[in-house]
Amino acid sequence: MYFPQFLVGMFATSFVVAIWADMVTGSVWKALGWAVLAMVILQLGYIGLVVRRIYRRESEVVEGNGASVARARDLRRDRPAL
Protein backbone atom coordinates (compact mmCIF):
# COMPACT_ATOMS: atom_id res chain seq x y z
CA MET A 1 0.00 0.00 0.00
CA TYR A 2 1.30 3.42 -0.91
CA PHE A 3 1.57 6.07 1.79
CA PRO A 4 -0.79 8.58 0.07
CA GLN A 5 -3.47 5.87 -0.15
CA PHE A 6 -2.92 5.14 3.52
CA LEU A 7 -3.30 8.82 4.44
CA VAL A 8 -6.59 9.14 2.56
CA GLY A 9 -7.92 6.00 4.22
CA MET A 10 -6.71 7.11 7.63
CA PHE A 11 -8.38 10.51 7.38
CA ALA A 12 -11.61 8.99 6.05
CA THR A 13 -11.68 6.47 8.89
CA SER A 14 -10.93 9.18 11.45
CA PHE A 15 -13.73 11.31 10.04
CA VAL A 16 -16.20 8.43 10.33
CA VAL A 17 -15.04 7.70 13.88
CA ALA A 18 -15.40 11.38 14.81
CA ILE A 19 -18.96 11.55 13.43
CA TRP A 20 -19.89 8.31 15.19
CA ALA A 21 -18.38 9.44 18.52
CA ASP A 22 -20.15 12.80 18.26
CA MET A 23 -23.49 11.11 17.64
CA VAL A 24 -22.99 8.72 20.57
CA THR A 25 -21.51 11.11 23.15
CA GLY A 26 -22.82 14.49 21.97
CA SER A 27 -19.42 16.01 22.73
CA VAL A 28 -17.19 17.47 20.03
CA TRP A 29 -14.13 17.13 22.28
CA LYS A 30 -14.71 13.43 22.90
CA ALA A 31 -15.25 12.95 19.17
CA LEU A 32 -11.96 14.70 18.47
CA GLY A 33 -10.22 12.51 21.04
CA TRP A 34 -11.61 9.33 19.50
CA ALA A 35 -10.56 10.49 16.02
CA VAL A 36 -7.01 11.21 17.20
CA LEU A 37 -6.88 7.83 18.95
CA ALA A 38 -8.01 6.13 15.72
CA MET A 39 -5.26 7.95 13.80
CA VAL A 40 -2.61 6.86 16.30
CA ILE A 41 -3.73 3.23 16.18
CA LEU A 42 -3.75 3.25 12.36
CA GLN A 43 -0.27 4.83 12.25
CA LEU A 44 1.11 2.19 14.61
CA GLY A 45 -0.41 -0.53 12.47
CA TYR A 46 1.08 0.95 9.30
CA ILE A 47 4.53 1.26 10.88
CA GLY A 48 4.26 -2.33 12.12
CA LEU A 49 3.37 -3.51 8.63
CA VAL A 50 6.32 -1.70 7.06
CA VAL A 51 8.75 -3.05 9.69
CA ARG A 52 7.42 -6.58 9.18
CA ARG A 53 7.85 -6.34 5.41
CA ILE A 54 11.40 -5.06 5.80
CA TYR A 55 12.26 -7.78 8.33
CA ARG A 56 10.75 -10.50 6.14
CA ARG A 57 12.71 -9.28 3.09
CA GLU A 58 15.99 -9.26 5.06
CA SER A 59 15.38 -12.76 6.41
CA GLU A 60 14.84 -14.08 2.87
CA VAL A 61 18.17 -12.58 1.78
CA VAL A 62 19.99 -13.98 4.84
CA GLU A 63 18.57 -17.46 4.28
CA GLY A 64 19.84 -17.33 0.71
CA ASN A 65 16.52 -17.88 -0.93
CA GLY A 66 17.43 -18.46 -4.58
CA ALA A 67 13.87 -17.92 -5.82
CA SER A 68 13.81 -14.26 -4.74
CA VAL A 69 17.18 -13.62 -6.41
CA ALA A 70 15.99 -15.23 -9.64
CA ARG A 71 12.78 -13.18 -9.50
CA ALA A 72 14.78 -9.96 -9.05
CA ARG A 73 16.87 -10.86 -12.10
CA ASP A 74 13.70 -11.47 -14.15
CA LEU A 75 12.31 -8.08 -13.12
CA ARG A 76 15.49 -6.31 -14.18
CA ARG A 77 15.48 -8.05 -17.54
CA ASP A 78 11.88 -6.99 -18.27
CA ARG A 79 12.67 -3.32 -17.74
CA PRO A 80 13.04 -1.32 -20.97
CA ALA A 81 16.46 0.17 -21.71
CA LEU A 82 16.77 3.93 -21.42
Side-chain angles (χ1 to χ4, degrees), residues 38-82:
M39 285 181 169
V40 168
I41 291 171
L42 288 170
Q43 274 289 351
L44 289 174
Y46 185 78
I47 290 169
L49 177 70
V50 170
V51 168
R52 190 179 93 193
R53 290 187 68 159
I54 290 170
Y55 177 73
R56 188 177 289 170
R57 183 175 295 159
E58 287 178 356
S59 67
E60 286 178 1
V61 171
V62 170
E63 291 174 0
N65 188 352
S68 63
V69 174
R71 184 170 179 247
R73 267 191 246 120
D74 290 341
L75 290 174
R76 272 189 253 128
R77 184 178 37 203
D78 292 341
R79 224 176 11 183
L82 295 177

Side-chain angles (χ1 to χ4, degrees), residues 13-34:
T13 303
S14 308
F15 185 69
V16 169
V17 167
I19 290 173
W20 169 77
D22 186 44
M23 287 173 36
V24 170
T25 63
S27 170
V28 174
W29 294 109
K30 285 185 181 180
L32 181 64
W34 277 100

